[in-house]
Amino acid sequence: MPLRSAPLPRMAGHLSFMRAQTKAICDVKSGDLAVLGVPFEDTSAPYAGQSLAPRALRETSVYFGWHANPQFSHPVDIEARQDISTDGLHERLCDLGDISLGSDGEIHEALQTATSQISSQGACAIILGGSDRLAKTVQRALPDFQTAQLGGRSGDGDDFCIAPLVGKSATSQQANVAAQLAAFAQWRDETRPLFVRFDLSVFETPLSVLCDRPRLGGCDLDTVLQWLGALGRHEVSAIMLTGLNPNRPGMGVVKVGQRLMVTALLAFIYARLGFAIDRASSYNSEGKLPI
Amino acid sequence: MTAVITTFHPSLAQPGYRLFDGPLCDVADVGVGQIGVVGMPSDWTHSSRLGTRFGPESLRRATTLLQSARPQGVSFDPDTRHRSKPATDWLIDCGDAEITPQDVDATTQAIAAMTEGLAVAGAIPLALGGDHYNSFPACLGYSRGLAKRSSNTRFGYIQIDGHLDFSDRLGAWGSHNHATNARRISELPNLDVANMVWVGITGWVDGGDLALIEKQGGRIFSAGDVHDLGAAEVMRQALAHAMQGCDELYLSIDIDAMDAGYLPGTGSIVHSGITPRQYYDLLDGLAEAPLGGLDIVEVSPPLDPSERTEFLAAEMLFRILRRFRTRPVAEK
């Protein structure tokens, strides 16, 4: 069962992602969504503070912990006018805690082992970064993986780079979501593990604020929601959140980046749990194709 | 023998800022049709991120600074495409209500007493928050004043907000806090839920609250509706719905309906996608609405080191108060 901490204030009580139950890694079951924090810095990053991201993401996620809050009847997505089912959320979302501090070698080994174990148990790891340099370590835990990338530094040529696309404007990306999804379906090999890199820089710069490496030509929230909802329908082995620096100089009180990432991540979580929000009607009204 | 000193006596300004650099007077000095400003520097009824107790002060400063940069004489207004000049004697700042932290009843009655006095006199109370709970005492006083001034008059209600604020209770904070203000307002005797409209709601809402609003005839326009229909059309429909059978409108402006990327200095941020331009268009849609009272809430300067939040909020006041603060000038 989730931690029934309501009606505690959001900032009080045991902190876990969306007030999910805590679990030991050995108890993770097939189909679970297992949250894992990697609170470490990239020493080559332009600013210090990435290590604070996992905690910031957990703190803001508590706002979405209605499944653990008995005072609410049931949540409704106001845009889609659709009930958000909480079935399965209690049982399948769990928080494993953070990778412990240690030497570089110990951290990499712990992350690789944890990711490998979660994947081998048939669960999906939701990794809260932290530095995107640890993405390589996650990839090593997933033999013969494919990587889909939203934002962040360019990866390998074999990766499916969703956004930002080099040389493309945000408008053309958003208009071409349907075409990109078709291309993704062609690229995807269902026999191989799928790793999703979700970096804050996927968003257009005015929305993200706290992004360590902002890039022009990012996406709006609706586009990222479409993508994460679509990716959540695949058997994703791991998704890693990076690029958030809650401690950008003078910006420690601004919670925009973490709220943006968690809001978007919910589309992925809903889809993985099989109760994706159907935003098709609103997209159709704009001439966009539903996912 | 003491020398006679001839002293130069320059005219001195009142210390501190007043909204739009207006005069600081008592509630009893505000007349019919004037805007009477009431500060509500209170944030202890917010459940998480505080700082809105500094909102009234920041709004006073920002409106004064912005006003000083605007034309002081006849000018062409690019938004209305008409010539206008600044009005005089249109606003009086009545200072702040007496806030008693941890005593919700005392705080509520202190705020309500000021807005009631203004409404009885036929003035238009403009309450500066503070967290959104304070909208309830501001509207409560307006409701009482309206009942005294015109016992059969009913008012419509529009709330621009990222959230419904329609919970009956919120955890440890009970029944009077920033998540329950609209629910408490819905219980006022001269307002029907059927005349309540929410604009800009985004994300998840409580299904029970939503069902209760819609069952009683209230109307909700989401942030997506603002994007799909356009801000002007949404506000046209919202105003028509709110004013059915009503003579006056109470407007509650929660700044957090704007996307947090643009406006981070508020307690409960949302990613609505609503831009400053869209928000201003919503307010422009109420340019000729029969405003009886209004409030602007959730400006939290400590949560935005860039200070842009308070200036965006100040511009909201410039928009909604345009017809009061300017007078049209005949075209040549």
Side-chain angles (χ1 to χ4, degrees), chain A residues 112-141:
Chain A
Q112 185 172 342
T113 304
T115 308
S116 176
Q117 193 168 341
I118 293 167
S119 176
S120 67
Q121 289 167 213
C124 170
I126 298 177
I127 301 168
L128 310 178
S131 164
D132 66 352
R133 291 190 182 277
L134 289 167
K136 292 282 183 198
T137 304
V138 176
Q139 288 169 327
R140 279 196 290 274

Side-chain angles (χ1 to χ4, degrees), chain A residues 7 9-11 63-64 66 71-79 81 84 206-207 221 250 253-256 259-260 285-286, chain B residues 47-49 163 170-173 202-208 214 220 222-224 228 259-261 264 269 271 302-303 305:
Chain A
R10 290 221 303 271
M11 71 293 285
Y63 176 70
F64 301 97
W66 15 254
Q71 73 183 338
F72 296 121
S73 56
H74 61 284
V76 174
D77 184 297
I78 192 66
E79 301 293 4
R81 292 297 177 123
I84 301 169
L207 295 181
L221 178 59
V253 297
V254 177
K255 309 291 184 186
V256 172
R259 178 60 69 88
L260 194 57
S285 71
E286 292 183 357
Chain B
S47 64
S48 57
R49 305 180 69 218
H163 314 83
L170 179 68
W173 287 269
T202 194
W204 67 272
V205 300
D206 183 77
E214 296 192 328
I220 296 168
S222 69
D228 292 344
D259 193 285
I269 59 173
H271 286 286
L303 299 182

Side-chain angles (χ1 to χ4, degrees), chain B:
Chain B
M1 190 173 170
T2 305
V4 176
I5 300 173
T6 303
T7 310
F8 174 57
H9 292 284
S11 59
L12 300 178
Q14 289 168 324
Y17 291 103
R18 284 89 52 209
L19 201 75
F20 291 95
D21 202 24
L24 180 65
C25 297
D26 191 76
V27 166
D29 299 323
V30 187
V32 176
Q34 283 184 309
I35 302 289
V37 178
V38 176
M40 309 184 292
S42 172
D43 62 7
W44 57 272
T45 35
H46 196 284
S47 64
S48 57
R49 305 180 69 218
L50 307 186
T52 55
R53 64 182 179 276
F54 302 109
E57 180 188 357
S58 69
L59 284 168
R60 289 180 169 119
R61 185 176 77 98
T63 52
T64 298
L65 295 178
L66 285 179
Q67 178 157 278
S68 69
R70 297 213 172 196
Q72 305 300 309
V74 176
S75 64
F76 175 78
D77 184 338
D79 291 312
T80 62
R81 298 180 183 280
H82 293 297
R83 281 152 49 87
S84 63
K85 63 179 181 181
T88 55
D89 299 332
W90 64 280
L91 173 142
I92 288 176
D93 194 328
C94 304
D96 290 342
E98 195 167 308
I99 303 302
T100 311
Q102 305 306 318
D103 188 337
V104 73
D105 192 50
T107 300
T108 298
Q109 297 308 328
I111 295 169
M114 292 183 74
T115 55
E116 178 182 348
L118 292 165
V120 167
I124 299 165
L126 163 58
L128 313 175
D131 70 63
H132 208 164
Y133 167 69
N134 298 287
S135 179
F136 167 62
C139 191
L140 171 67
Y142 162 73
S143 167
R144 287 173 176 167
L146 178 64
K148 286 182 179 174
R149 173 160 49 88
S150 177
S151 59
N152 293 323
T153 300
R154 307 191 68 75
F155 68 96
Y157 175 87
I158 293 179
Q159 177 175 319
I160 307 176
D161 197 340
H163 314 83
L164 292 176
D165 298 345
F166 203 73
S167 298
D168 192 35
R169 300 182 63 82
L170 179 68
W173 287 269
S175 58
H176 290 68
N177 56 72
H178 75 124
T180 67
N181 45 285
R183 182 66 158 264
R184 300 287 82 84
I185 286 172
S186 75
E187 296 161 352
L188 295 173
N190 39 8
L191 171 67
D192 292 323
V193 177
N195 292 114
M196 296 181 75
V197 182
W198 287 256
V199 175
I201 307 300
T202 194
W204 67 272
V205 300
D206 183 77
D209 295 346
L210 178 66
L212 190 57
I213 289 169
E214 296 192 328
K215 182 183 172 189
Q216 297 179 82
R219 185 91 190 266
I220 296 168
F221 294 93
S222 69
D225 292 330
V226 175
H227 300 307
D228 292 344
L229 301 173
E233 176 59 19
V234 162
M235 199 47 88
R236 188 192 66 75
Q237 292 187 27
L239 185 61
H241 191 91
M243 294 307 297
Q244 293 175 90
C246 297
D247 300 303
E248 291 191 5
L249 176 73
Y250 188 91
L251 173 66
S252 185
I253 303 171
D254 186 334
I255 64 166
D256 73 19
M258 192 184 292
D259 193 285
Y262 304 102
L263 189 147
T266 190
S268 307
I269 59 173
V270 297
H271 286 286
S272 62
I274 292 182
T275 64
R277 181 77 243 177
Q278 286 173 309
Y279 207 119
Y280 299 151
D281 286 347
L282 289 171
L283 294 172
D284 286 349
L286 296 173
E288 302 302 322
L291 274 181
L294 71 161
D295 60 62
I296 182 166
V297 295
E298 296 290 356
V299 179
S300 181
L303 299 182
D304 179 5
S306 76
E307 296 186 345
R308 68 182 184 273
T309 295
E310 59 206 68
F311 285 96
L312 287 166
E315 178 64 22
M316 293 176 192
L317 289 176
F318 273 88
R319 295 286 172 151
I320 192 63
L321 299 175
R322 176 184 283 123
R323 82 167 193 267
F324 299 95
R325 65 177 177 78
T326 62
R327 294 282 178 268
V329 173
E331 303 293 332
K332 287 180 180 174

Side-chain angles (χ1 to χ4, degrees), chain A residues 223-270:
Chain A
T223 304
V224 177
L225 284 171
Q226 287 183 76
W227 267 109
L228 286 173
L231 291 168
R233 291 182 171 89
H234 291 262
E235 288 295 326
V236 175
S237 298
I239 179 170
M240 184 170 185
L241 282 63
T242 58
L244 170 66
N245 185 345
N247 201 37
R248 282 288 296 268
M251 301 290 278
V253 297
V254 177
K255 309 291 184 186
V256 172
Q258 49 265 50
R259 178 60 69 88
L260 194 57
M261 291 198 93
V262 173
T263 302
L265 182 64
L266 284 180
F268 176 82
I269 291 174
Y270 294 161

